[in-house]
């Protein structure tokens, strides 16, 4: 209820156009993508399974763009817009708890991205079945990606109350990981745990049989803990401009969490290390 029944979440929902706009745009998106998928699957001369396999790859790309680009941008812009226009001063006078208001920014501003993510998940499941690929892998991959997206949103939201560089910093880091052939994760053990989509063979191989192994569980737990700390710190920044987000207690808790994650990543390097199968780079141990 603290997410839906508060003025911040409602205002962000109205800025998205309300139910009418969300339903119309999401419905039109679903119809267009479904028509293209089924039309190509049964209109081309090649086996439908090949077409469905191509759409599976497309849905992986769309899910990443929706969560890690569009969703992150919406969360950052929602906070920055209210700070720049000074309307946040009016928000602070409303009977909404600071943490509830932050949740409104975190999930209210990203509602359309979440709805489209759900549509892609359903259509992707159809494509997975048509391509005779394991549905379990698709479900786990989307769950891991969603958890990672929520984690990124919490960090970007925290920095967006002070600067517009949080969004660009997150985009640069997320692009550096794949473009560095995951070598960036080799030097930061904690990052190899938190960057859950890149664990092992990564979640982006639809032909691999993913299981909910313990590295994904540990990564999800670590993301939840650190995201919660950033949301609490963001609520402090929302409440007052002159307050340091991470005070002594929160800062110490964040340091402990990062140290623990780094120790896990270093101790179980082989379990969290990204398997760079698609590149012919040098062996990381060498």
């Amino acid at each position: 209820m603290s997410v839906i029944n508060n003025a911040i979440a409602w205002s962000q929902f109205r800025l998205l156009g309300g139910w009418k706009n969300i339903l119309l745009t999401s419905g039109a998106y679903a119809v267009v993508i479904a028509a293209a998928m089924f039309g190509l699957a049964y209109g081309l001369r090649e086996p439908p399974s090949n077409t469905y396999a191509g759409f599976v790859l497309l849905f992986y790309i769309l899910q990443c763009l929706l969560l890690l680009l569009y969703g992150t941008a919406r969360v950052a812009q929602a906070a920055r817009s209210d700070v720049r226009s000074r309307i946040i001063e009016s928000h602070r006078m409303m009977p909404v708890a600071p943490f509830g208001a932050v949740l409104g920014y975190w999930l209210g501003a990203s509602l359309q991205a979440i709805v489209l993510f759900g549509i892609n998940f359903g259509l992707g499941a159809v494509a997975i079945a048509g391509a005779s690929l394991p549905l379990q892998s698709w479900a786990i991959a989307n769950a891991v990606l969603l958890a990672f997206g929520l984690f990124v949103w919490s960090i970007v939201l925290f920095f967006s109350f002070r600067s517009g560089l949080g969004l660009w910093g997150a985009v640069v880091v997320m692009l550096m990981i794949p473009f560095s052939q995951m070598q960036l994760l080799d030097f930061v053990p904690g990052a190899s745990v938190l960057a859950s989509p890149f664990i092992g063979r990564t979640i982006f191989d639809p032909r691999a049989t993913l299981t909910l192994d313990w590295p994904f569980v540990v990564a999800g737990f670590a993301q939840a803990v650190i995201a919660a700390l950033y949301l609490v710190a963001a609520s402090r920044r929302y409440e007052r401009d002159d307050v340091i987000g991470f005070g002594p207690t929160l800062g110490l808790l964040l340091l402990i969490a990062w140290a623990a994650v780094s120790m896990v990543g270093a101790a179980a390097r082989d379990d969290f290390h990204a398997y760079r199968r698609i590149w012919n780079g040098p062996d990381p141990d060498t």
Side-chain angles (χ1 to χ4, degrees), residues 26 39 53 55 58 90 100 103 119 132 144 150 161 200 208 210 233 269 276:
S26 301
F55 270 91
L58 174 63
S90 175
L103 292 181
I119 292 174
S132 299
V144 171
L150 294 173
F161 280 113
L210 281 180
R269 180 181 178 279
R276 295 189 290 273

Side-chain angles (χ1 to χ4, degrees), residues 17-42:
W19 285 116
K20 181 179 180 180
N21 180 68
I22 290 180
L23 292 177
L24 284 176
T25 55
S26 301
Y29 173 85
V31 169
V32 170
I33 297 296
M37 181 171 65
F38 292 122
L40 291 174
Y42 295 101

Side-chain angles (χ1 to χ4, degrees), residues 131-149:
S132 299
L133 296 173
L135 182 59
Q136 172 181 316
S137 298
W138 173 249
I140 294 176
N142 278 266
V144 171
L145 188 60
L146 179 59
F148 181 69

Side-chain angles (χ1 to χ4, degrees), residues 170-180:
V171 171
V172 169
V173 171
M174 287 186 290
L175 289 177
M176 285 177 61
I177 293 175
F179 281 106
S180 68

